[in-house]
Amino acid sequence: MANSDVNKQQQLKTAELLSAAWKPFSVDDMLSPCLVKMLFHETSFHILWFYKESLYDCDMQAVDIANQHALLNPHIEAPLRRIVEHLKSVMTNGIAGVKFLFIEQDTSIQVTCTSLLADVSFDWEFIAYKSCSRRMTAHLVLPLLGIVSELSRQNTALESLIKRKDAEIEDFLAQGAALSKRSLKTDKHDSISFRGAMLTSSGFQEIADSYGKDAFASPHIQNVYTELTRRQAYADKMAVNNGVDGVSREPAGNSII
């Protein structure tokens, strides 16, 4: 395969991983909230974990997976694609009975799990190494800044819509309309009071105490992240094609900085 084809495939995989949404990841042994994003292909996978202050990278190709399977599960004969498919199910579907163990080391984390493959005990170790700061910026910092901006824009649009709805209701009432049930009546929206109530609510305190544990629990936030990173990557590509330096969001290789 020509180098240009290899580079193109690598760029596509990099873009796919960048746009893969983060999701909460929880194991009993973890001392801090954790996020995970995953990209599975037929005979390979790439997983990123965010834990404490670092990003950890686990990239396994076909030969790596085959060698580890032979070492950990010599009693199981299974096609490589079946192994990867099972690992994807373990990581994404929350299969009942799967036992995870989390071990933190100086420059890596180790996530081991035991599950059943064709009713036979199946062991696996995900070893992820601390990644560079540029990758942290690419996969978390810049997208989160974009998400904050987008949610602020959506909030402004929603408040404007609520104001128009309040005016619409007042007009109906002025013309003699009446609610069928008193329980349906709501107070006129006051954005300042609403924001103040939110900041003093128990829900806000729970968010503060969780340190972002559920930051990507919402499918809406996951979708915003995916669409945002896709558009940012496209904007960077167009900038580079036009001879302008784009914002470097994803480094080449897995160097540790």
Side-chain angles (χ1 to χ4, degrees), residues 11-79:
Q11 289 173 0
L12 288 173
K13 288 183 178 180
T14 297
E16 279 188 89
L17 182 63
L18 181 61
S19 62
W22 289 99
K23 297 181 179 180
F25 185 81
S26 179
V27 176
D28 291 341
D29 303 299
M30 286 181 170
L31 301 177
S32 180
C34 182
L35 299 171
V36 65
K37 65 156 57 184
M38 301 164 281
L39 181 63
F40 283 86
H41 290 104
E42 288 187 345
T43 59
S44 64
F45 63 81
H46 200 160
I47 302 177
L48 295 182
W49 275 276
F50 172 71
Y51 181 65
K52 291 185 176 177
E53 300 176 352
S54 299
L55 195 68
Y56 295 88
D57 190 306
C58 177
D59 186 4
M60 297 193 75
Q61 302 303 308
V63 63
D64 307 313
I65 297 171
N67 289 341
Q68 181 161 301
H69 175 66
L71 178 65
L72 298 179
N73 303 288
H75 55 290
I76 298 179
E77 292 186 9

Side-chain angles (χ1 to χ4, degrees), residues 232-252:
Q232 289 176 336
Y234 180 77
D236 267 4
K237 181 179 179 181
M238 291 298 100
V240 171
N241 289 344
N242 292 327
V244 179
D245 289 337
V247 179
S248 179
R249 292 190 168 84
E250 175 65 296

Side-chain angles (χ1 to χ4, degrees), residues 38 40 83-95:
M38 301 164 281
F40 283 86
I83 296 170
V84 174
E85 179 184 324
H86 178 71
L87 291 172
K88 180 179 180 180
S89 295
V90 167
M91 289 298 297
T92 61
N93 297 336
I95 297 177

Side-chain angles (χ1 to χ4, degrees), residues 12 21 32 39-40 46 63 65-66 85 102 106 118 121-122 124 148 165 169 177 185-186 194 196 199 202-203 211 248:
L12 288 173
S32 180
L39 181 63
F40 283 86
H46 200 160
V63 63
I65 297 171
E85 179 184 324
F102 181 86
D106 290 339
S121 180
F122 177 89
W124 199 259
V148 169
K165 286 293 183 183
I169 292 172
K185 181 176 175 56
T186 58
F194 175 78
L199 291 178
S202 59
Y211 290 93
S248 179

Side-chain angles (χ1 to χ4, degrees), residues 175-191:
Q175 297 182 50
L179 294 171
S180 61
K181 298 179 180 178
R182 291 179 60 86
S183 60
L184 295 177
K185 181 176 175 56
T186 58
D187 294 330
K188 188 175 180 179
H189 179 68
D190 182 336
S191 59

Side-chain angles (χ1 to χ4, degrees), residues 126-142:
F126 298 97
I127 301 178
Y129 295 94
K130 191 173 290 187
S131 192
C132 62
S133 58
R134 285 179 59 198
R135 181 158 286 155
M136 171 84 81
T137 299
H139 287 269
L140 268 176
V141 179
L142 288 177

